[in-house]
Amino acid sequence: MQFIDLNAQQQRIHGDIVKNINRVLEHGQYIMGPEIDALEKALGEYAGVKHAVSCSSGTDALLMALMAYQVGPGDAVFTTPFTFVATGEVISLLGATPVFVDIEPDTFNMDPARLEKAIAALESKDPRMHPLPQGYEGLKARGVIPVDLFGQPADYDRINAIADAEALFVLEDAAQSFGGEYKGRKACALGDVAATSFFPAKPLGCYGDGGMVFTDDDRLYDYLTSVRIHGKGTDKYDNVRIGINGRCDTLQAAILLAKFSIFPGEMELRQEVAGRYGKLLDVPGITVPAVREGSLSAWAQYSLLSDRRDAILEGLKKAGVPTAVYYPKPLHLQGAYKYLGYRPGDFVVSELAAKKIFSLPMHPYLTEEDQCHIADVIKGIL
Ligand SMILES: *Cc1c(COP(=O)(O)O)cnc(C)c1O
């Protein structure tokens, strides 16, 4: 059994993938070839966003979005500590400071009520209201990065309202949620700008690294396309700002175009798989993931909570079922973030989730038979 079965997917579209790769080998435009435009157009339309800018990874997508807002030293960016390290890392790379905000216990996404508190605490320079990082006295609130964890969008109606009132930008970390929905809108269309990832294990993955930035904002779009190619102006030897080499390879775009043709159908299959898990694992001792009314998860991961996680993981391993723990250590307790001066107990919801959470195999091709087997093993342990 595979945790994510990329092989089953490849078998369905192998011919198209080879055809698309061969077309690139024929035209030879390995950098910014015609497949890049085609992919940006297709995914921008799917997400319902005016501009889509492909790039080298989900991390660079986040970084480029922050660079487009000219985030730098002295800036505070609010995000959650219960995420992949890249979300916080890009803030720090630019010399800005992450201000962590705890999550909702059921969706694992940023808790809007706590965001409001964190903003107020920073404004009134009062860390008794909400834990603040070292050096908070000199910080100015600039933006918010909500994370659509495991594929479910955060609560954007509330988060956008809070951010708007304080003139903060909202950068949606949609690395896990491409294909997800929130109140009739698609993930990647839910903030001022969004970043997604095409890492192979994500809902829409390529065969290497890749990512995309989405925005309706024309000015931001101009910045993003410039930052992506070394801060280019009229051409790449006219450099008007500091940028990066953030391009997506034409070959990866060609592979993604083949994969995208079956992606909407795969999203439906993921809903069926998640629905089956929900029924099979509705047992005492297990908390199955909660999806808010009006939301659709892209099911990047199927993550459960249990007090008996470690016994369950061991039992599943013995039964040959692969599992994973996302994430065993929240960012505020990571060595890399020691300099922020946060302490255990600062974000208790994240800390508790880190102790109880585990993820089961999840992909569109998971069979009912395998799911029944997994559920039987878990019930046997409990
Ligand atoms: C995967 C991921 C990223 C980074 O994407 P890469 O393509 O691996 O750089 C950022 N944020 C979250 C929440 C992720 O899951």
Side-chain angles (χ1 to χ4, degrees), residues 55-294:
C55 63
S56 40
S57 70
T59 306
D60 281 345
L62 290 165
L63 183 69
M64 283 164 47
L66 291 182
M67 289 173 85
Y69 279 106
Q70 290 152 72
V71 166
D75 290 342
V77 180
F78 300 88
T79 192
T80 100
F82 199 63
T83 178
F84 182 56
V85 67
T87 317
E89 189 177 41
V90 290
I91 302 169
S92 307
L93 267 175
L94 293 173
T97 305
V99 177
F100 292 125
V101 175
D102 215 345
I103 53 172
E104 301 171 325
D106 53 349
T107 65
F108 312 113
N109 285 331
M110 179 182 280
D111 183 339
R114 291 176 202 266
L115 171 64
E116 226 167 357
K117 263 201 177 142
I119 295 171
L122 190 72
E123 253 165 29
S124 53
K125 314 278 178 224
D126 184 359
R128 286 166 306 175
M129 275 174 77
H130 185 278
L132 294 174
Q134 229 147 57
Y136 66 85
E137 299 90 340
L139 294 179
K140 181 181 183 303
R142 283 294 312 282
V144 187
I145 311 184
V147 182
D148 302 344
L149 205 71
F150 305 139
Q152 172 166 213
D155 192 352
Y156 286 94
D157 278 359
R158 290 175 67 198
I159 291 171
N160 287 340
I162 294 164
D164 280 352
E166 304 289 333
L168 307 178
F169 66 79
V170 174
L171 162 55
E172 176 185 3
D173 184 341
Q176 302 183 5
S177 63
F178 188 79
E181 291 178 24
Y182 176 82
K183 299 187 181 177
R185 281 173 300 147
K186 283 267 194 311
C188 296
L190 304 174
D192 297 305
V193 58
T196 198
S197 163
F198 304 129
F199 183 81
K202 308 283 171 159
L204 180 63
C206 59
Y207 290 158
D209 278 307
M212 198 169 273
V213 192
F214 297 83
T215 187
D216 282 330
D217 185 325
D218 296 339
R219 218 178 66 93
L220 215 55
Y221 172 72
D222 289 342
Y223 257 94
L224 289 165
T225 50
S226 165
V227 160
R228 169 172 66 179
I229 305 181
H230 304 290
K232 76 179 175 75
T234 48
D235 67 67
K236 71 173 170 176
Y237 300 112
D238 172 36
N239 309 105
V240 297
R241 58 180 62 84
I242 299 297
I244 62 172
N245 176 355
R247 297 173 299 240
C248 176
D249 292 346
T250 307
L251 275 170
Q252 297 302 343
I255 290 160
L256 282 165
L257 282 168
K259 287 197 170 200
F260 182 61
S261 67
I262 58 165
F263 181 78
E266 285 188 338
M267 248 325 121
E268 283 171 28
L269 292 174
R270 284 176 188 273
Q271 305 309 322
E272 283 174 27
V273 171
R276 281 202 300 261
Y277 264 145
K279 286 198 192 93
L280 287 166
L281 292 167
D282 185 14
V283 293
I286 292 274
T287 308
V288 296
V291 179
R292 284 283 154 77
E293 210 184 309

